[in-house]
Amino acid sequence: MRPETLVRDHTIYACVMGSRAFGLATEESDTDRRGVFLAPTPLFWRFGKPPTHVEGPAEEQFSWELERFCELALRANPNILECLHSPLVEHADDTGRELLALRHAFLSRRVHETFARYAHGQRRKLDAAVRTHGAPRWKHAMHLLRLLTSARDLLRTGTLTIDVGDHRDALLAVKRGEVSWPEVESWMTRLAGEGEEAARRSPLPEEPDRRRVEDFLVRVRRASALQPDPYDEVVQGVVHGGSLGQG
């Protein structure tokens, strides 16, 4: 089965991400699409396993196989967690809606470490650009401020909200280079400190609910295995209790 076929025929959840989901879109903004596909279980019984992710087939489109997506979400990967909270959902079948219902099972205090580590890496790149070129990449500075704000609020409330809301104008001013770098630095430092404080008092659990997520994954894998597969009679014989001939 070709990767693009997995995305086309087996996507369970699809959303728009990037500036459009963050409430920061302008006329020049692209439309970034992200999705989750469920590879048919029989594909895992062969030597060649299905891909863990697929880029495309459309421009600015990227999808993960469900198991990989869940693994990354349990590790509190910022990009993955944000996908589950996009306000712009384009598709969700029954399994996709179950995945969305598990959103809070993935959240834990681990987000402080992963979001902070990601933010630190981005901050180093901004600092390097300032040293080399005299100014940061302002768009990246804007998105780092957005991420720091989102992480702080998640730790404070236990809820991940990715739309910037009332911060839109201030953040777009940063993107346009209308805010000095020292002011942006001060803003970032303040948000990082507030995130540290929020982590100590966060209502989030220490660990994600791995058992609940795994039960969901096993159940959908089992259901997929029992689906008719007209292209593989041997696989169906195994699934439905048939026997293979002994050569």
Side-chain angles (χ1 to χ4, degrees):
M1 187 174 293
R2 297 175 62 85
E4 57 267 29
T5 303
L6 287 170
V7 174
R8 184 192 67 204
D9 295 344
H10 298 281
T11 290
I12 63 170
Y13 172 69
C15 66
V16 172
M17 286 301 299
S19 294
R20 297 193 183 281
F22 301 144
L24 291 168
T26 62
E27 292 181 358
E28 297 80 25
S29 297
D30 294 326
T31 300
D32 300 319
R33 289 185 164 85
R34 300 292 180 265
V36 182
F37 62 90
L38 174 63
T41 300
L43 294 183
F44 291 92
W45 300 341
R46 305 175 184 186
F47 288 121
K49 307 301 182 187
T52 58
H53 60 270
V54 175
E55 187 169 356
E59 292 185 9
E60 308 298 336
Q61 182 181 14
F62 193 95
S63 301
W64 295 268
E65 206 284 322
L66 177 61
E67 183 173 341
R68 178 59 172 166
F69 186 87
C70 289
E71 287 176 345
L72 293 172
L74 286 168
R75 296 178 196 171
N77 179 290
N79 293 324
I80 298 293
L81 292 180
E82 289 184 335
C83 280
L84 285 173
H85 293 79
S86 173
L88 303 177
V89 175
E90 293 191 318
H91 170 75
D93 64 9
D94 289 344
T95 305
R97 285 189 287 273
E98 284 194 66
L99 177 63
L100 287 176
L102 285 173
R103 285 186 294 193
H104 290 288
F106 294 105
L107 297 179
S108 71
R109 295 192 183 191
R110 288 186 181 184
V111 301
H112 175 58
E113 177 186 354
T114 56
F115 276 62
R117 185 168 61 241
Y118 181 82
H120 180 69
Q122 294 302 305
R123 177 68 182 271
R124 290 179 61 185
K125 292 178 182 179
L126 291 171
D127 289 338
V130 172
R131 290 193 300 270
T132 304
H133 305 291
R137 297 183 68 177
W138 293 110
K139 180 179 178 180
H140 292 185
M142 174 193 71
H143 280 298
L144 179 50
L145 287 166
R146 179 204 64 78
L147 181 75
L148 288 167
T149 302
S150 179
R152 178 203 62 187
D153 293 347
L154 168 58
L155 289 163
R156 282 177 173 176
T157 67
T159 300
L160 180 56
T161 302
I162 68 173
D163 189 294
V164 300
D166 295 340
H167 299 295
R168 172 182 164 85
D169 290 343
L171 289 170
L172 288 177
V174 171
K175 180 183 179 182
R176 294 191 296 267
E178 297 172 358
V179 184
S180 70
W181 177 239
E183 289 179 273
V184 172
E185 280 189 303
S186 178
W187 190 356
M188 289 177 178
T189 300
R190 175 175 60 82
L191 287 171
E194 291 173 350
E196 289 279 353
E197 178 64 24
R200 289 191 285 270
R201 305 180 180 182
S202 179
L204 291 172
E206 289 292 336
E207 298 291 334
D209 193 343
R210 185 180 181 88
R211 174 67 178 273
R212 186 179 169 200
V213 174
E214 189 169 55
D215 286 348
F216 161 71
L217 180 62
V218 169
R219 182 161 42 80
V220 298
R221 284 273 192 256
R222 183 179 295 118
S224 172
L226 296 174
Q227 292 296 310
D229 183 358
Y231 303 105
D232 198 333
E233 294 179 1
V234 173
V235 164
Q236 283 304 303
V238 174
V239 169
H240 294 291
S243 59
L244 296 177
Q246 302 296 314

